Amino acid sequence: MAGSKLTIEDVARAAGVSRSTVSRVMNGVPGATEAVRQHVKDVIAELGYVPDQTARALASRQQPAIDVVVASPAPAVGWIGSHPYYSRVLAGIMTVLAGRDVQLRIHSVAAAEDADAVDAIARRASIGLVLADGSPALASRLHRQCRRVVSLVATAPSVPAVEADNAGGAHAAVQYLYQLGRRRIAAIHGADDTCGTSRRAGYVRAVAELGLPDLSTGGAFRREVGLSAARDLLDRYPDVDAMFVACDLTAAGAVQAITATSRRVPQDVSVVGFDDSIAAVCANPPLSTMRMPVEDMAAAAVRLLLDGPVPTGYRQRFPVELIVRESTAPA
């Protein structure tokens, strides 16, 4: 046997020491001489032993856990509870943890500047951390303190990430609206984070390639922002005949604003969202959207952590898919 197929008992037998001694060495716990520690490390290297993260947590007498870190404005509970993205992240994680003796813990931090909170989360990590969102600065700080981190959004180069093709999805959405005959394609962009920036870049690239004007405004991933931003766009550009909105929740608000002006969706203004969350299905009319496979991404991140060390700078990109519903139609 070699690598991850080995167990801690195999290492103990090969080193001629107890299981608890191997655990002390692996976890940096006092109770073994320097000579014994070096001997055990040499045996681990010779065998090519890669410790299973769940077993390692148990060996250190921690309750093994996957920690989900959310960067959110206050109040955190209201923000997390009201946004469909987070429930999809948790659903994906639970598909992997089902039947395992592993806890799921959720942490909220305001920003990377909240150093004490970030460092405390990193110190208490057992199996590893899934960063649901957050800035590259936040991700880098977590990764410096704990190498067992996987981000679900584009992030700092050194931090492992499982991410969606946000720019490509936005570009495809604009192309789809153009193929429907739409020529005044406005956009409501997302938050000023890596996801929002990437989707904005995809829109800007698409309208430039198609020779269309950039009719866009800033925003955030919230329904009320979509409502106010769409009103502003329609006031400035009354001839808008389509909107790309960087989040389904925001798009639901945009649809409300459009229909409040007696315009029809999709006949007068077609709308494409992004995510394919429950907000898209429940909107009236149901939203055409770019499906981001959040559950699959979250599950992939957890599998990486459970399987052992994740290489620095690791990247896995998931494509997004156009889902056509009733909010789009030919011009």
Side-chain angles (χ1 to χ4, degrees):
M1 293 186 297
S4 61
K5 294 181 180 179
L6 290 166
T7 67
I8 192 170
E9 287 79 9
D10 295 323
V11 176
R13 281 192 292 271
V17 298
S18 68
R19 185 185 189 282
S20 61
T21 298
V22 177
S23 295
R24 290 190 188 99
V25 174
M26 287 169 49
N27 293 288
V29 177
T33 67
E34 187 56 40
V36 170
R37 288 182 184 279
Q38 189 58 54
H39 172 60
V40 171
K41 290 178 182 178
D42 290 343
V43 170
I44 288 173
E46 182 180 347
L47 294 176
Y49 175 60
V50 178
D52 175 82
Q53 297 302 320
T54 303
R56 185 165 186 168
L58 287 169
S60 64
R61 297 188 179 181
Q62 286 182 307
Q63 172 65 43
I66 291 291
D67 294 270
V68 179
V69 181
V70 176
S72 65
V77 173
W79 172 242
I80 296 170
S82 64
H83 203 291
Y85 170 73
Y86 300 108
S87 63
R88 296 182 66 195
V89 170
L90 298 180
I93 291 173
M94 292 309 299
T95 62
V96 180
L97 297 187
R100 297 175 182 262
D101 185 22
V102 177
Q103 288 185 337
L104 175 61
R105 303 186 297 212
I106 304 173
H107 310 269
S108 175
V109 293
E113 290 72 24
D114 192 358
D116 290 342
V118 173
D119 293 349
I121 292 168
R123 283 195 304 271
R124 289 195 295 266
S126 61
I127 296 173
L129 304 167
V130 175
L131 183 58
D133 56 12
S135 67
L138 171 60
S140 294
R141 186 174 188 94
L142 280 170
H143 195 243
R144 284 195 299 270
Q145 303 289 333
C146 174
R147 293 296 179 181
R148 303 183 303 280
V149 178
V150 179
S151 174
L152 297 183
V153 296
T155 187
S158 63
V159 181
V162 175
E163 58 187 276
D165 184 7
N166 286 291
H171 185 273
V174 176
Q175 286 188 316
Y176 167 64
L177 290 168
Y178 186 85
Q179 290 165 3
L180 292 177
R182 307 290 172 167
R183 296 297 182 266
R184 299 286 288 172
I185 304 172
I188 301 174
H189 298 302
D192 189 20
D193 57 18
T194 55
C195 287
T197 300
S198 295
R199 294 173 195 179
R200 180 194 298 263
Y203 167 83
V204 170
R205 178 165 65 90
V207 294
E209 290 173 355
L210 296 169
L212 302 178
D214 183 341
L215 312 175
S216 61
T217 187
F221 297 142
R222 300 199 301 275
R223 185 201 60 80
E224 62 272 19
V225 171
L227 184 65
S228 60
R231 285 172 179 162
D232 177 62
L233 283 172
L234 293 170
D235 285 343
R236 285 191 288 150
Y237 312 112
D239 58 344
V240 160
D241 63 2
M243 286 189 191
F244 164 66
V245 189
C247 168
D248 291 337
L249 204 57
T250 314
V255 169
Q256 286 182 278
I258 294 166
T259 56
T261 64
S262 298
R263 292 175 173 89
R264 298 166 301 164
V265 176
Q267 294 89 343
D268 300 320
V269 182
S270 282
V271 178
V272 175
F274 205 111
D275 288 337
D276 196 27
S277 67
I278 190 66
V281 178
C282 294
N284 184 23
L287 292 171
S288 294
T289 186
M290 304 305 300
R291 175 170 175 76
M292 187 168 70
V294 176
E295 295 87 350
D296 294 341
M297 292 163 56
V302 172
R303 289 191 187 99
L304 284 170
L305 293 170
L306 291 171
D307 287 344
V310 185
T312 296
Y314 175 89
R315 288 293 183 276
Q316 183 177 358
R317 176 166 288 191
F318 281 73
V320 299
E321 174 190 5
L322 173 65
I323 304 297
V324 176
R325 295 195 180 95
E326 297 169 33
S327 68
T328 52

